[in-house]
mmCIF file of all heavy atoms in Angstrom:
data_model
loop_
_atom_site.group_PDB
_atom_site.id
_atom_site.type_symbol
_atom_site.label_atom_id
_atom_site.label_comp_id
_atom_site.label_asym_id
_atom_site.label_seq_id
_atom_site.Cartn_x
_atom_site.Cartn_y
_atom_site.Cartn_z
ATOM 1 N N VAL A 317 5.188 19.357 -7.068
ATOM 2 C CA VAL A 317 5.595 18.242 -6.223
ATOM 3 C C VAL A 317 5.457 18.656 -4.762
ATOM 4 O O VAL A 317 5.667 19.820 -4.405
ATOM 5 C CB VAL A 317 7.041 17.795 -6.545
ATOM 6 C CG1 VAL A 317 8.048 18.890 -6.239
ATOM 7 C CG2 VAL A 317 7.403 16.506 -5.829
ATOM 8 N N ALA A 318 5.082 17.700 -3.910
ATOM 9 C CA ALA A 318 4.926 17.960 -2.476
ATOM 10 C C ALA A 318 6.131 17.424 -1.725
ATOM 11 O O ALA A 318 6.671 16.366 -2.067
ATOM 12 C CB ALA A 318 3.641 17.314 -1.950
ATOM 13 N N VAL A 319 6.545 18.151 -0.692
ATOM 14 C CA VAL A 319 7.694 17.758 0.116
ATOM 15 C C VAL A 319 7.269 17.668 1.580
ATOM 16 O O VAL A 319 6.972 18.683 2.214
ATOM 17 C CB VAL A 319 8.862 18.754 -0.014
ATOM 18 C CG1 VAL A 319 10.086 18.221 0.736
ATOM 19 C CG2 VAL A 319 9.197 19.017 -1.473
ATOM 20 N N ARG A 320 7.211 16.442 2.083
ATOM 21 C CA ARG A 320 6.890 16.235 3.495
ATOM 22 C C ARG A 320 8.110 16.593 4.356
ATOM 23 O O ARG A 320 9.233 16.610 3.873
ATOM 24 C CB ARG A 320 6.488 14.780 3.733
ATOM 25 C CG ARG A 320 5.194 14.387 3.036
ATOM 26 C CD ARG A 320 5.006 12.876 2.996
ATOM 27 N NE ARG A 320 6.019 12.264 2.145
ATOM 28 C CZ ARG A 320 6.198 10.946 2.035
ATOM 29 N NH1 ARG A 320 5.446 10.122 2.724
ATOM 30 N NH2 ARG A 320 7.130 10.473 1.243
ATOM 31 N N GLY A 321 7.867 16.876 5.623
ATOM 32 C CA GLY A 321 8.959 17.294 6.497
ATOM 33 C C GLY A 321 9.179 18.784 6.403
ATOM 34 O O GLY A 321 9.031 19.511 7.383
ATOM 35 N N ARG A 322 9.486 19.278 5.211
ATOM 36 C CA ARG A 322 9.563 20.722 4.992
ATOM 37 C C ARG A 322 8.177 21.315 4.782
ATOM 38 O O ARG A 322 8.005 22.531 4.872
ATOM 39 C CB ARG A 322 10.479 21.036 3.815
ATOM 40 C CG ARG A 322 11.935 20.675 4.130
ATOM 41 C CD ARG A 322 12.898 21.046 3.036
ATOM 42 N NE ARG A 322 14.232 20.604 3.417
ATOM 43 C CZ ARG A 322 15.219 21.418 3.804
ATOM 44 N NH1 ARG A 322 15.013 22.724 3.854
ATOM 45 N NH2 ARG A 322 16.396 20.928 4.128
ATOM 46 N N ASP A 323 7.214 20.439 4.454
ATOM 47 C CA ASP A 323 5.809 20.819 4.341
ATOM 48 C C ASP A 323 5.590 21.975 3.371
ATOM 49 O O ASP A 323 4.992 23.011 3.703
ATOM 50 C CB ASP A 323 5.223 21.138 5.725
ATOM 51 C CG ASP A 323 5.194 19.914 6.627
ATOM 52 O OD1 ASP A 323 5.262 18.794 6.102
ATOM 53 O OD2 ASP A 323 5.121 20.080 7.861
ATOM 54 N N VAL A 324 6.095 21.755 2.150
ATOM 55 C CA VAL A 324 5.949 22.762 1.108
ATOM 56 C C VAL A 324 5.470 22.111 -0.183
ATOM 57 O O VAL A 324 5.602 20.902 -0.383
ATOM 58 C CB VAL A 324 7.286 23.503 0.833
ATOM 59 C CG1 VAL A 324 7.694 24.338 2.037
ATOM 60 C CG2 VAL A 324 8.391 22.533 0.435
ATOM 61 N N ILE A 325 4.917 22.956 -1.047
ATOM 62 C CA ILE A 325 4.598 22.586 -2.422
ATOM 63 C C ILE A 325 5.580 23.323 -3.311
ATOM 64 O O ILE A 325 5.721 24.545 -3.224
ATOM 65 C CB ILE A 325 3.155 22.983 -2.793
ATOM 66 C CG1 ILE A 325 2.146 22.305 -1.863
ATOM 67 C CG2 ILE A 325 2.869 22.636 -4.257
ATOM 68 C CD1 ILE A 325 2.113 20.799 -1.949
ATOM 69 N N VAL A 326 6.293 22.564 -4.145
ATOM 70 C CA VAL A 326 7.321 23.137 -5.012
ATOM 71 C C VAL A 326 6.845 23.062 -6.458
ATOM 72 O O VAL A 326 6.274 22.055 -6.883
ATOM 73 C CB VAL A 326 8.659 22.391 -4.852
ATOM 74 C CG1 VAL A 326 9.725 22.995 -5.766
ATOM 75 C CG2 VAL A 326 9.120 22.438 -3.396
ATOM 76 N N VAL A 327 7.083 24.146 -7.198
ATOM 77 C CA VAL A 327 6.703 24.199 -8.613
ATOM 78 C C VAL A 327 7.962 24.338 -9.450
ATOM 79 O O VAL A 327 8.838 25.162 -9.160
ATOM 80 C CB VAL A 327 5.747 25.377 -8.877
ATOM 81 C CG1 VAL A 327 5.399 25.467 -10.363
ATOM 82 C CG2 VAL A 327 4.475 25.219 -8.044
ATOM 83 N N LEU A 328 8.061 23.502 -10.489
ATOM 84 C CA LEU A 328 9.194 23.532 -11.413
ATOM 85 C C LEU A 328 8.691 23.748 -12.832
ATOM 86 O O LEU A 328 7.520 23.479 -13.145
ATOM 87 C CB LEU A 328 9.997 22.228 -11.348
ATOM 88 C CG LEU A 328 10.558 21.797 -9.988
ATOM 89 C CD1 LEU A 328 9.592 20.847 -9.282
ATOM 90 C CD2 LEU A 328 11.917 21.119 -10.151
ATOM 91 N N ASP A 329 9.594 24.198 -13.696
ATOM 92 C CA ASP A 329 9.277 24.398 -15.103
ATOM 93 C C ASP A 329 10.040 23.368 -15.928
ATOM 94 O O ASP A 329 11.272 23.272 -15.831
ATOM 95 C CB ASP A 329 9.675 25.816 -15.527
ATOM 96 C CG ASP A 329 9.372 26.093 -16.991
ATOM 97 O OD1 ASP A 329 8.547 25.365 -17.584
ATOM 98 O OD2 ASP A 329 9.967 27.036 -17.547
ATOM 99 N N ALA A 330 9.306 22.585 -16.713
ATOM 100 C CA ALA A 330 9.924 21.577 -17.576
ATOM 101 C C ALA A 330 9.722 21.895 -19.053
ATOM 102 O O ALA A 330 10.033 21.076 -19.916
ATOM 103 C CB ALA A 330 9.341 20.199 -17.271
ATOM 104 N N SER A 331 9.220 23.080 -19.356
ATOM 105 C CA SER A 331 8.807 23.398 -20.725
ATOM 106 C C SER A 331 9.961 23.515 -21.706
ATOM 107 O O SER A 331 9.760 23.364 -22.917
ATOM 108 C CB SER A 331 7.989 24.693 -20.737
ATOM 109 O OG SER A 331 8.769 25.791 -20.278
ATOM 110 N N ASP A 332 11.182 23.781 -21.207
ATOM 111 C CA ASP A 332 12.314 23.987 -22.115
ATOM 112 C C ASP A 332 13.179 22.750 -22.294
ATOM 113 O O ASP A 332 14.289 22.828 -22.827
ATOM 114 C CB ASP A 332 13.178 25.154 -21.623
ATOM 115 C CG ASP A 332 13.807 24.883 -20.260
ATOM 116 O OD1 ASP A 332 13.487 23.836 -19.659
ATOM 117 O OD2 ASP A 332 14.613 25.717 -19.805
ATOM 118 N N GLY A 333 12.706 21.604 -21.821
ATOM 119 C CA GLY A 333 13.470 20.368 -21.954
ATOM 120 C C GLY A 333 14.309 20.034 -20.750
ATOM 121 O O GLY A 333 14.915 18.966 -20.692
ATOM 122 N N GLY A 334 14.359 20.946 -19.768
ATOM 123 C CA GLY A 334 15.111 20.699 -18.545
ATOM 124 C C GLY A 334 14.198 20.699 -17.333
ATOM 125 O O GLY A 334 13.027 20.323 -17.424
ATOM 126 N N LEU A 335 14.718 21.159 -16.213
ATOM 127 C CA LEU A 335 13.956 21.294 -14.971
ATOM 128 C C LEU A 335 14.503 22.490 -14.206
ATOM 129 O O LEU A 335 15.696 22.524 -13.872
ATOM 130 C CB LEU A 335 14.084 20.035 -14.100
ATOM 131 C CG LEU A 335 13.212 18.831 -14.420
ATOM 132 C CD1 LEU A 335 13.622 17.648 -13.538
ATOM 133 C CD2 LEU A 335 11.730 19.147 -14.203
ATOM 134 N N THR A 336 13.638 23.465 -13.941
ATOM 135 C CA THR A 336 14.037 24.657 -13.202
ATOM 136 C C THR A 336 12.996 24.952 -12.137
ATOM 137 O O THR A 336 11.788 24.950 -12.429
ATOM 138 C CB THR A 336 14.144 25.876 -14.136
ATOM 139 O OG1 THR A 336 15.023 25.572 -15.215
ATOM 140 C CG2 THR A 336 14.670 27.093 -13.373
ATOM 141 N N VAL A 337 13.435 25.178 -10.909
ATOM 142 C CA VAL A 337 12.504 25.510 -9.835
ATOM 143 C C VAL A 337 11.964 26.927 -10.042
ATOM 144 O O VAL A 337 12.734 27.878 -10.213
ATOM 145 C CB VAL A 337 13.181 25.392 -8.461
ATOM 146 C CG1 VAL A 337 12.246 25.890 -7.357
ATOM 147 C CG2 VAL A 337 13.573 23.945 -8.180
ATOM 148 N N VAL A 338 10.647 27.044 -10.018
ATOM 149 C CA VAL A 338 9.974 28.342 -10.130
ATOM 150 C C VAL A 338 9.791 28.971 -8.757
ATOM 151 O O VAL A 338 10.017 30.161 -8.560
ATOM 152 C CB VAL A 338 8.611 28.183 -10.845
ATOM 153 C CG1 VAL A 338 7.853 29.511 -10.872
ATOM 154 C CG2 VAL A 338 8.794 27.631 -12.242
ATOM 155 N N GLY A 339 9.381 28.159 -7.788
ATOM 156 C CA GLY A 339 9.171 28.656 -6.442
ATOM 157 C C GLY A 339 8.516 27.599 -5.576
ATOM 158 O O GLY A 339 8.178 26.512 -6.038
ATOM 159 N N SER A 340 8.360 27.906 -4.291
ATOM 160 C CA SER A 340 7.701 26.988 -3.367
ATOM 161 C C SER A 340 6.897 27.785 -2.357
ATOM 162 O O SER A 340 7.106 28.997 -2.179
ATOM 163 C CB SER A 340 8.728 26.103 -2.650
ATOM 164 O OG SER A 340 9.569 26.892 -1.817
ATOM 165 N N ALA A 341 5.986 27.100 -1.686
ATOM 166 C CA ALA A 341 5.109 27.749 -0.713
ATOM 167 C C ALA A 341 4.647 26.722 0.313
ATOM 168 O O ALA A 341 4.633 25.518 0.033
ATOM 169 C CB ALA A 341 3.901 28.365 -1.416
ATOM 170 N N PRO A 342 4.265 27.161 1.525
ATOM 171 C CA PRO A 342 3.754 26.237 2.544
ATOM 172 C C PRO A 342 2.545 25.463 2.027
ATOM 173 O O PRO A 342 1.727 25.984 1.256
ATOM 174 C CB PRO A 342 3.378 27.155 3.705
ATOM 175 C CG PRO A 342 4.231 28.364 3.525
ATOM 176 C CD PRO A 342 4.346 28.546 2.031
#
Side-chain angles (χ1 to χ4, degrees):
V317 64
V319 186
R320 294 166 293 172
R322 293 184 183 253
D323 295 340
V324 293
I325 301 296
V326 180
V327 178
L328 303 94
D329 180 19
S331 62
D332 63 355
L335 279 173
T336 305
V337 174
V338 176
S340 65

